[in-house]
Amino acid sequence: MTARILVFASVAPELAHEFEHAYTQVTARMQGTPGLLGDELLRDGNKPGRYLLLSEWESEEQFIAWESAPAHREITVPMRPYWSGNFERRIYNLAARLEPEVSVG
């Protein structure tokens, strides 16, 4: 079952650009990770320095396996210096999906 991982995080607003660059470094290194379907970094438009990291995995189990592996800590090193304060991680399993209608001809 598809799982979505949401990580709510804060960085110092003056370091936001550097954090976003670190995110691109991390995601480039994650290419080909088994089970990873996609990853996005969303910036809060009303609160500078607030982010939502959203990833989609084939299953919760595959995410947990990656998160528990030593490679996880090594791959995410570029982002760690930018966290300021707490972050929160939530796992959601896909319950339903709206599929767009395809018009034929």
Side-chain angles (χ1 to χ4, degrees), residues 42-103:
L42 306 173
R43 182 185 322 113
D44 189 319
N46 296 315
K47 296 182 181 177
R50 286 284 299 160
Y51 289 92
L52 169 62
L53 290 81
L54 173 63
S55 61
E56 184 175 7
W57 292 77
E58 290 178 4
S59 70
E60 181 178 345
E61 293 78 18
Q62 287 179 301
F63 168 73
I64 298 295
W66 175 77
E67 185 181 49
S68 302
H72 171 258
R73 293 197 61 78
E74 180 182 320
I75 289 171
T76 58
V77 163
M79 290 173 55
R80 281 200 218 111
Y82 298 100
W83 300 124
S84 67
N86 296 331
F87 69 93
E88 178 183 354
R89 175 184 59 83
R90 295 182 185 180
I91 299 174
Y92 288 86
N93 293 297
L94 183 63
R97 180 186 308 229
L98 171 66
E99 298 292 343
E101 290 184 30
V102 177
S103 62

Side-chain angles (χ1 to χ4, degrees), residues 21-43:
H21 178 70
Y23 167 83
T24 62
Q25 290 177 316
V26 169
T27 56
R29 296 172 73 185
M30 290 181 65
Q31 293 293 325
T33 299
L36 179 63
L37 299 173
D39 202 89
E40 297 177 314
L41 178 64
L42 306 173
R43 182 185 322 113

